[in-house]
Amino acid sequence: MDLTALRNANPEHWAKAAAIRTLTLDAVAAANSGHSGMPMGMADVATVLFEKHLKFDAANPQWPDRDRFILSAGHGSMLIYSLLYLTGSDEITLDQIKNFRQWGAKTAGHPENFLAAGIETTTGPLGQGIANSVGFAIAEASLRARFGKSLVDHYTYVIAGDGCLMEGVSQEAIALAGRQELGRLVVFWDNNNITIDGTVDLADRTNQVARFKASGWHVQEIDGHDPEAIDAAITAAKSTKKPSMIACKTHIAIGSSAQDTSKGHGALTDATLIADAKKAYGAPAGAFEVTDEVKTAWEEIGKRGAADKAAWDDRLAAQGEAKRNRFNRVIAGEAPKRLSATIRALKKQVSESAPKVATRKSSEMVLEVVNPMMVETIGGSADLTGSNNTKTGDLGIFDTDNRKGRYIHYGIREHGMAAAMNGMALHGGIRPYGGTFMCFTDYARPAMRLAALMKVPTVFVMTHDSIGLGEDGPTHQPVEHLAISRATPNTLVFRPADTVETAEAWELALTQQDTPSVLSLTRQGLPTVRTEHKTKNLTAQGAYILAEAEGKRQVILMATGSEVAIALEAREALQAEGIGTRVVSMPCMELFAQQDEAYRKRVLPAGPVRVGIEAAVRQGWDRWLLGERGRDAKAGFVGMDSFGASAPADVLYEKFGITAEGVVGKVKALLA
Ligand SMILES: Cc1ncc(C[n+]2csc(CCOP(=O)(O)OP(=O)(O)O)c2C)c(N)n1
Ligand SMILES: [Mg+2]
């Protein structure tokens, strides 16, 4: 392709865009890995966006009212690193660019949100970024409605590739954004017709323009290398009330011998190819070389938002004190001081009245007192509102005509919901929680994993958490989902036994800053096991002694959630036969693992027989059964080692042997 005409049409634009291209080529070559073609192809779009539209101030990259730029096609990470370096980030320096993909560098293979400001979300798993962006746009609309346009007034821009649009989650995201008329969301599709295996047609003939339109989007089609067309399209996109998709026809690896081929997707490291491409760009030949003129021009772009930022600071300062404090508090992600007292009051009340309720209902009872005081929560469900008990009286529905509403009907879109919630949490100012059946953790899983990796405190409300859901049968009965959730680093998995533990779990989930929570809640009613009020949050210790052995301690029963009541019943039977039995409630294994050795030893001393009880697979339990001073010959587990079945819950517990008698039998066999 002859680039001369493009270069001559707009030399200043061209030189700035070429800097992205050459930095990308050099960084990928130095790393001997990475993806050159996408940043080369999208450099024109990114340059126009940053130069003419994106509201940001490189000196204040965390400014709450900045526009958000999301690189959904995360493999093109050198695009965002180049932009950050060129505009004057003090974190993504030239040294970082030179250390692309190396140990300890902020320039990781794929962009990681916690490594540098300006990287708004972690992308790489295709489709996640575009799905996160829906949450960013919801957060903006919600906060704008509640705090006013003078404080919140920004756009969310996304670059998505063919891969992002092929991933199923993109459909969930597009449909939700269209339904909610998220007019501040602008998606650029890098329409280069290339993926790794070849041309897009190998696997897809979707008319993307028609697809977006069908979901209520405003769509434009442009030449992604024409700066004037890009500028005009962004201007038009900003003024519509619908979310916008701009289909940008581009050439992957433009100007190189790999242009328009799948070879151009990956690492272009050949020295001749790189030298030739630089020549075609009219760019300096040296590695990582950017002329002072071009660097200065980019730094000017980085300063473009400084006056806006200063004016915004003044507007924030001019707010009434209460509103300013509330804004600052929610942006900082700090729970209100009254949260603890509110939780304590509820605990006292329920430990006295000792209701028999399902923990999904307990969760609703907690939310009824928390939501009115914690204005940053946004709840929702993937079409299971009445089952997940996620909606409380005060919230109102988030909708096109009610942006103040704090409850979202996500539709039957678990993955899209989870990713959107992550987007809200990343945006800041919002504490999202959302529900579905525990079994459909699988459908939300990629975003749940990323919540943990990204260090955002999203709360996943997973109800119907075992065979205890009964008649709906094994398709709906989770058995392995606690294990996979617990296997995920930086995730708190709570399985509370009653309303008191549920209240404690919510308090912990809502005060996390860097860790997502999974609440595993029952469909079936459970007795209150914490009938003696304790002001202390015992769930914070992860596991604690719920009932002490009388006489010589021969047995420790450990259980979670619905099985704690079974453990207590088994203890009664064992104690009646003179077998001293301790019951340990273990609502959160991760928090117990974080306790000091002395505490863990107090709860799980060496000696007694140990039996774990949980209506799920054993995987994950052996640390508590065999480790921590336990011994193989003296440990057992009562739970599931197959899928469940369709029948009433009590019949299932009976048939699968998860009963007090089953536990007593297991204990006696171990004692014999
Ligand atoms: C969920 C997921 N599946 C697979 C991959 C591996 N992968 C990375 S890029 C890519 C092709 C993407 O094609 P496209 O978005 O068109 O990018 P381009 O080749 O145009 O740069 C694939 C399959 C991934 N990163 N994420
Ligand atoms: Mg492509």
Side-chain angles (χ1 to χ4, degrees):
M1 183 170 173
D2 183 9
L3 298 181
T4 320
L6 282 176
R7 280 171 52 190
N8 290 343
N10 197 333
E12 283 173 14
H13 161 84
W14 181 268
K16 287 193 283 273
I20 295 172
R21 296 180 166 119
T22 57
L23 286 169
T24 296
L25 282 166
D26 290 334
V28 170
N32 198 27
S33 76
H35 302 80
S36 316
M38 183 274 181
M40 292 162 75
M42 283 302 276
D44 295 305
V45 170
T47 300
V48 174
L49 174 66
F50 273 62
E51 177 170 6
K52 301 248 162 73
H53 295 277
L54 193 79
K55 179 168 79 167
F56 77 113
D57 175 12
N60 291 285
Q62 309 273 30
W63 172 24
D65 198 30
R66 68 192 180 279
D67 286 345
R68 306 303 199 268
F69 172 66
I70 292 168
L71 186 69
S72 189
H75 59 282
S77 55
M78 267 312 299
L79 180 65
I80 193 166
Y81 300 147
S82 303
L83 289 161
L84 289 170
Y85 159 61
L86 288 167
T87 52
S89 160
D90 59 9
E91 294 181 289
I92 304 297
T93 58
L94 186 57
D95 258 0
Q96 293 287 343
I97 300 274
K98 288 179 178 171
N99 278 301
F100 180 49
R101 295 185 152 231
Q102 303 310 303
W103 176 259
K106 293 178 179 296
T107 45
H110 295 84
E112 295 175 27
N113 63 300
F114 48 89
L115 290 181
I119 302 172
E120 305 286 0
T121 180
T122 294
T123 51
L126 296 170
Q128 286 298 322
I130 187 170
N132 294 154
S133 74
V134 175
F136 276 88
I138 290 173
E140 194 272 346
S142 172
L143 294 170
R144 175 154 39 92
R146 293 189 280 142
F147 287 99
K149 222 175 151 176
S150 65
L151 293 185
V152 184
D153 186 15
H154 55 264
Y155 288 84
T156 302
Y157 296 101
V158 183
I159 290 182
D162 301 304
C164 291
L165 299 197
M166 264 192 241
E167 288 291 348
V169 70
S170 74
Q171 184 56 34
E172 300 182 22
I174 290 164
L176 182 58
R179 164 60 185 82
Q180 287 290 352
E181 295 178 19
L182 299 173
R184 299 297 190 92
L185 178 60
V186 180
V187 173
F188 302 95
W189 167 33
D190 179 17
N191 179 15
N192 61 19
N193 195 33
I194 290 292
T195 66
I196 293 176
D197 278 1
T199 56
V200 167
D201 181 64
L202 282 175
D204 195 24
R205 285 185 180 162
T206 303
N207 179 335
Q208 296 292 355
V209 168
R211 177 165 82 117
F212 277 79
K213 279 188 181 162
S215 290
W217 286 57
H218 171 262
V219 182
Q220 303 172 79
E221 292 179 85
I222 60 164
D223 172 353
H225 300 298
D226 175 350
E228 275 158 30
I230 298 164
D231 183 22
I234 299 174
T235 301
K238 287 202 294 197
S239 68
T240 76
K241 290 202 156 41
K242 295 175 177 180
S244 270
M245 191 273 263
I246 305 175
C248 307
K249 189 80 211 122
T250 59
H251 297 283
I252 195 167
I254 189 171
S256 77
S257 55
Q259 181 184 311
D260 299 327
T261 69
S262 55
K263 180 174 181 273
H265 165 91
L268 302 176
T269 54
D270 179 76
T272 312
L273 178 149
I274 294 171
D276 289 350
K278 287 185 178 178
K279 222 174 278 168
Y281 300 155
F288 302 102
E289 195 180 340
V290 175
T291 65
D292 288 346
E293 197 187 342
V294 169
K295 181 71 167 90
T296 306
W298 268 112
E299 283 171 8
E300 287 305 314
I301 294 172
K303 291 176 192 148
R304 206 168 39 78
D308 261 2
K309 161 72 167 74
W312 182 89
D313 285 341
D314 292 344
R315 291 199 297 276
L316 179 64
Q319 303 290 326
E321 192 183 338
K323 185 173 168 189
R324 186 175 59 245
N325 288 345
R326 194 164 70 244
F327 183 81
N328 286 333
R329 179 181 72 71
V330 300
I331 291 293
E334 283 161 10
K337 292 199 177 63
R338 284 177 299 148
L339 176 64
S340 233
T342 304
I343 295 286
R344 274 202 304 277
L346 177 68
K347 277 168 56 176
K348 183 160 192 303
Q349 182 211 316
V350 291
S351 56
E352 281 162 7
S353 60
K356 183 178 185 216
V357 289
T359 48
R360 63 184 169 127
K361 179 71 187 167
S362 308
S363 170
E364 181 184 332
M365 290 160 70
V366 178
L367 290 170
E368 286 287 3
V369 295
V370 164
N371 279 334
M373 56 168 302
M374 230 171 146
V375 293
E376 61 270 45
T377 56
I378 286 192
S381 165
D383 201 46
L384 289 168
T385 295
S387 300
N388 302 144
N389 299 64
T390 34
K391 185 165 174 287
T392 59
D394 61 308
L395 288 179
I397 307 296
F398 179 86
D399 207 335
T400 51
D401 59 358
N402 185 27
R403 295 304 202 202
K404 290 187 179 170
R406 286 162 54 207
Y407 193 79
I408 299 180
H409 289 291
Y410 286 103
I412 306 105
R413 303 184 183 111
E414 298 80 10
H415 194 179
M417 172 177 76
M421 290 199 293
N422 287 346
M424 286 179 227
L426 288 159
H427 178 282
I430 305 288
R431 215 170 242 283
Y433 72 85
T436 184
F437 289 152
M438 182 81 181
C439 208
F440 305 138
T441 295
D442 295 330
Y443 280 52
R445 169 84 194 138
M448 294 174 74
R449 178 176 194 268
L450 279 165
L453 176 61
M454 296 194 291
K455 308 182 189 182
V456 288
T458 310
V459 182
F460 302 97
V461 181
M462 300 311 206
T463 70
H464 298 59
D465 72 346
S466 74
I467 52 167
L469 67 84
E471 293 84 346
D472 272 346
T475 54
H476 285 51
Q477 292 160 355
V479 287
E480 74 278 35
H481 302 75
L482 283 165
I484 183 82
S485 298
R486 288 177 182 143
T488 311
N490 191 39
T491 300
L492 295 177
V493 182
F494 294 103
R495 192 160 187 261
D498 67 0
T499 308
V500 175
E501 281 192 5
T502 305
E504 292 178 340
W506 265 112
E507 180 180 9
L508 293 161
L510 293 170
T511 48
Q512 296 303 312
Q513 292 267 15
D514 308 316
T515 304
S517 298
V518 176
L519 298 185
S520 168
L521 305 171
T522 67
R523 171 183 184 243
Q524 73 275 27
L526 302 179
T528 298
V529 296
R530 286 274 296 282
T531 47
E532 191 191 325
H533 176 58
K534 294 248 176 5
T535 51
K536 191 171 169 188
N537 186 327
L538 301 184
T539 300
Q541 296 170 303
Y544 60 91
I545 302 162
L546 178 64
E548 189 47 290
E550 284 162 29
K552 181 170 179 284
R553 184 173 56 226
Q554 298 184 63
V555 181
I556 299 176
L557 301 178
M558 291 172 247
T560 75
S562 39
E563 285 69 70
V564 173
I566 292 172
L568 289 171
E569 203 187 321
R571 175 181 174 275
E572 290 286 299
L574 290 164
Q575 288 288 166
E577 296 187 42
I579 303 171
T581 303
R582 167 186 286 188
V583 171
V584 170
S585 180
M586 201 177 247
C588 183
M589 289 183 181
E590 298 76 25
L591 289 176
F592 186 49
Q594 286 170 23
Q595 304 304 305
D596 60 27
E597 170 89 30
Y599 177 75
R600 299 203 314 272
K601 204 166 178 172
R602 213 161 354 115
V603 176
L604 297 180
V609 158
R610 294 181 187 182
V611 173
I613 314 160
E614 184 168 78
V617 296
R618 175 167 170 160
Q619 192 170 340
W621 272 88
D622 283 4
R623 168 162 180 191
W624 316 115
L625 296 173
L626 310 180
E628 302 278 331
R629 299 155 297 280
R631 277 196 289 135
D632 195 11
K634 298 178 74 181
F637 183 72
V638 174
M640 299 292 292
D641 53 18
S642 69
F643 289 113
S646 171
D650 48 348
V651 173
L652 292 172
Y653 269 87
E654 202 64 48
K655 296 283 183 194
F656 286 102
I658 307 174
T659 58
E661 299 77 66
V663 174
V664 168
K666 177 80 72 180
V667 167
K668 286 187 174 169
L670 290 166
L671 284 173

